[in-house]
Amino acid sequence: MAKLLSCVLGPRLYKIYRERDSERAPASVPETPTAVTAPHSSSWDTYYQPRALEKHADSILALASVFWSISYYSSPFAFFYLYRKGYLSLSKVVPFSHYAGTLLLLLAGVACLRGIGRWTNPQYRQFITILEATHRNQSSENKRQLANYNFDFRSWPVDFHWEEPSSRKESRGGPSRRGVALLRPEPLHRGTADTLLNRVKKLPCQITSYLVAHTLGRRMLYPGSVYLLQKALMPVLLQGQARLVEECNGRRAKLLACDGNEIDTMFVDRRGTAEPQGQKLVICCEGNAGFYEVGCVSTPLEAGYSVLGWNHPGFAGSTGVPFPQNEANAMDVVVQFAIHRLGFQPQDIIIYAWSIGGFTATWAAMSYPDVSAMILDASFDDLVPLALKVMPDSWRGLVTRTVRQHLNLNNAEQLCRYQGPVLLIRRTKDEIITTTVPEDIMSNRGNDLLLKLLQHRYPRVMAEEGLRVVRQWLEASSQLEEGEDMSADGRRQLALFLARKHLHNFEATHCTPLPAQNFQMPWHL
């Protein structure tokens, strides 16, 4: 009876991974008795096959989940419509509550039928036995057997805790449960007395900004956190995860951040290969609709590096919502996991980010200044100009205030706190981080990121003449020929040299995957 209850309440099982080839799997790992033998031609051959009862019940519950999500997003309009029609009176609400209660009972019955279907399936019973054993005892053998299954990540046991490093327990300067430290924007009116009257005057604007950021703003900025999009991408994500596990011998892990969010990660270890770059770890930070299953991790993987990918809070297996504080908290526990559990020194870690992932990448480089290098692909300096581009001009004040208070992705400010090697990759046909049209390459905010970095690091070189010649180089459709006589002035020549070393052009749009040959280590003195 207890096993039947476990099957009713257990997670959804998606896939049972095939046995890894002998040359991919470590020789010390014995065969897993829970793995299912399948043809090696396709990773799709090892999908978990539920019985008919479980399959149909799962379809009904999944459809109900989609309808619930649609109802959630449309609820403000629905309430307004019902109010206008007079359907929110007590005489109308009571019968509706009866219908809702009946529907919930029916769904509970469907869930029980699904549990019975699982209970009759020996594959699921074997899986739930291993899952329960792992929750009781997280031994290496139990974890190894559990890794052969892909299931609802909410039931995956936590592998690493943010307080686990001994240095965190002994130090008072580490992150608290409120989160890691972020750079805060300066007040708009410095020197103004923060009196009670001023606070009351600001209150309506602050409430409006909060509502915009937590409803429309966050979902526009991180569309990958929208449940309906994740549901549509589920088959692609499952296929990408199968490729990482079966072909690259990837290891999945759940990390617990200081804010309580659970972060879904995937680690591919290349230290045992003949590739020298396998000794280096590349931590990948994805874009606003990117997932490690199908994201930028493929570039360093093809280049032969060890790779650690992770999903933003609220993306796929990660919990929470992707606000800047939560993003930084997640990045902190990922770096701690790389150092204290995976055994990489900061000097062997490279931070690689695409698009909006530049925020967490620059935060990590600022907070862990000993990391080896940082590569920012198709990233920007500040979110405000890009937010103003897509919103009505009459909303300028509201947009600026909302971004600064709740969605402040200040990449350039954080990047300037890092003194290590940096490489920026600019997409010459980028349609996302340009403030006008893709053909106007000077409106690409990657230019501003480069200029702010160079002005901070080399203020004397990037004086008026140096700044002008770098702008001319950025505006050119292709890099100037070597040996071209720009000027006799040494500062201009040096400024141009530094710009070429810190920024590479890539003739592509924003979402084109970066080829492995373009993944190069930054120049350093």
Side-chain angles (χ1 to χ4, degrees):
M1 197 65 184
K3 187 65 66 177
L4 176 60
L5 182 61
S6 298
C7 291
V8 172
L9 302 178
R12 184 175 181 181
L13 178 59
Y14 298 113
K15 184 175 174 62
I16 304 175
Y17 292 124
R18 66 192 181 201
E19 287 285 355
R20 297 166 176 82
D21 292 342
S22 58
E23 65 270 20
R24 291 183 185 131
S28 59
V29 178
E31 291 188 1
T32 306
T34 57
V36 175
T37 303
H40 287 238
S41 58
S42 172
S43 61
W44 292 92
D45 295 336
T46 52
Y47 267 108
Y48 165 67
Q49 298 297 329
R51 299 289 173 87
L53 186 59
E54 180 186 356
K55 181 179 180 180
H56 295 310
D58 251 335
S59 299
I60 295 173
L61 294 174
L63 186 62
S65 177
V66 170
F67 278 128
W68 170 256
S69 181
I70 295 174
S71 303
Y72 173 79
Y73 290 121
S74 60
S75 57
F77 305 101
F79 276 112
F80 180 74
Y81 174 80
L82 294 174
Y83 176 77
R84 292 292 300 270
K85 294 294 183 179
Y87 292 145
L88 294 182
S89 61
L90 187 62
S91 61
K92 302 286 185 180
V93 171
V94 172
F96 176 77
S97 65
H98 292 164
Y99 297 143
T102 303
L103 180 61
L104 290 176
L105 287 175
L106 289 174
L107 291 176
V110 172
C112 292
L113 291 176
R114 182 182 64 176
I116 294 173
R118 292 172 173 176
W119 184 63
T120 61
N121 192 325
Q123 286 184 329
Y124 193 90
R125 289 206 311 271
Q126 190 173 36
F127 155 71
I128 202 69
T129 300
I130 294 173
L131 178 61
E132 291 176 340
T134 306
H135 277 288
R136 290 192 300 267
N137 179 18
Q138 293 194 33
S139 65
S140 58
E141 177 62 20
N142 286 341
K143 285 187 174 182
R144 184 183 65 79
Q145 293 192 37
L146 188 65
N148 288 306
Y149 297 91
N150 187 356
F151 55 95
D152 190 337
F153 200 62
R154 287 173 294 185
S155 298
W156 189 285
V158 173
D159 296 288
F160 184 83
H161 193 281
W162 69 281
E163 284 184 323
E164 186 170 322
S166 57
S167 58
R168 288 289 176 90
K169 298 176 182 178
E170 298 170 0
S171 173
R172 296 183 179 180
S176 64
R177 293 190 180 275
R178 298 179 61 183
V180 297
L182 290 178
L183 298 179
R184 300 296 177 183
E186 294 185 1
L188 297 177
H189 306 287
R190 299 184 66 180
T192 304
D194 191 19
T195 62
L196 180 61
L197 181 60
N198 285 333
R199 291 184 180 181
V200 172
K201 288 180 179 179
K202 294 177 183 177
L203 189 60
C205 294
Q206 292 175 344
I207 293 175
T208 303
S209 296
Y210 179 88
L211 292 175
V212 170
H214 286 75
T215 54
L216 179 66
R218 189 259 295 176
R219 291 172 175 84
M220 287 184 64
L221 188 59
Y222 289 95
S225 64
V226 177
Y227 173 77
L228 293 177
L229 178 61
Q230 295 184 33
K231 196 71 175 177
L233 291 175
M234 180 62 72
V236 179
L237 299 181
L238 291 177
Q239 186 182 26
Q241 197 165 97
R243 180 184 67 86
L244 290 171
V245 172
E246 295 179 343
E247 299 178 12
C248 302
N249 201 22
R251 303 205 306 264
R252 200 177 186 189
K254 177 186 282 189
L255 317 183
L256 185 64
C258 60
D259 52 13
N261 288 335
E262 298 170 346
I263 307 303
D264 184 5
T265 68
M266 179 68 73
F267 171 56
V268 178
D269 195 353
R270 295 281 179 78
R271 285 175 289 188
T273 65
E275 299 283 350
Q277 56 267 40
Q279 302 302 316
K280 295 282 188 178
L281 175 69
V282 178
I283 298 179
C284 298
C285 305
E286 299 290 345
N288 64 353
F291 303 82
Y292 72 70
E293 292 89 339
V294 291
C296 64
V297 298
S298 60
T299 298
L301 273 179
E302 292 177 13
Y305 290 89
S306 296
V307 173
L308 176 60
W310 61 282
N311 282 328
H312 297 283
F315 282 52
S318 297
T319 62
V321 288
F323 282 103
Q325 183 65 67
N326 296 347
E327 287 278 293
N329 295 341
M331 188 64 187
D332 179 67
V333 74
V334 168
V335 177
Q336 289 292 319
F337 176 68
I339 296 173
H340 296 282
R341 177 62 62 84
L342 301 182
F344 287 91
Q345 296 299 317
Q347 297 81 2
D348 295 325
I349 295 176
I350 301 161
I351 310 294
Y352 170 48
W354 172 62
S355 191
I356 208 169
F359 172 74
T360 49
T362 53
W363 180 89
M366 172 186 71
S367 304
Y368 295 89
D370 293 332
V371 295
S372 175
M374 180 166 53
I375 302 174
L376 301 179
D377 179 15
S379 197
F380 52 88
D381 64 320
D382 187 40
L383 182 61
V384 170
L386 298 175
L388 293 174
K389 162 193 169 182
V390 299
M391 301 303 291
D393 191 60
S394 58
W395 292 20
R396 175 177 291 270
L398 174 62
V399 171
T400 303
R401 185 183 309 108
T402 301
V403 170
R404 287 288 176 249
Q405 291 181 357
H406 303 283
L407 303 167
N408 190 35
L409 306 185
N410 49 345
N411 297 354
E413 186 179 5
Q414 293 184 153
L415 178 60
C416 290
R417 303 291 183 96
Y418 175 62
Q419 299 301 316
V422 175
L423 175 63
L424 309 180
I425 299 175
R426 181 181 66 166
R427 310 291 184 103
T428 57
K429 301 176 183 178
D430 201 309
E431 72 280 16
I432 302 298
I433 63 168
T434 50
T435 53
T436 55
V437 293
E439 292 75 21
D440 182 12
I441 199 170
M442 283 308 291
S443 70
N444 189 311
R445 297 305 299 187
N447 300 332
D448 302 85
L449 186 60
L450 173 70
L451 292 173
K452 291 176 180 179
L453 175 65
L454 294 181
Q455 285 179 306
H456 176 79
R457 290 192 173 187
Y458 314 104
R460 294 185 179 180
V461 175
M462 292 299 294
E464 183 177 349
E465 285 297 314
L467 188 62
R468 182 182 65 81
V469 74
V470 172
R471 287 186 182 277
Q472 289 178 349
W473 175 73
L474 289 170
E475 192 172 7
S477 58
S478 60
Q479 294 188 7
L480 299 171
E481 294 296 327
E482 292 293 337
E484 183 177 346
D485 187 12
M486 290 290 299
S487 169
D489 184 71
R491 285 187 179 180
R492 286 184 294 179
Q493 292 284 354
L494 183 55
L496 183 60
F497 170 80
L498 293 172
R500 285 174 170 170
K501 290 296 185 182
H502 284 82
L503 184 141
H504 291 175
N505 281 324
F506 177 43
E507 297 288 336
T509 57
H510 187 78
C511 296
T512 303
L514 185 70
Q517 60 267 26
N518 291 75
F519 188 81
Q520 303 172 5
M521 288 300 100
W523 170 82
H524 62 278
L525 292 173

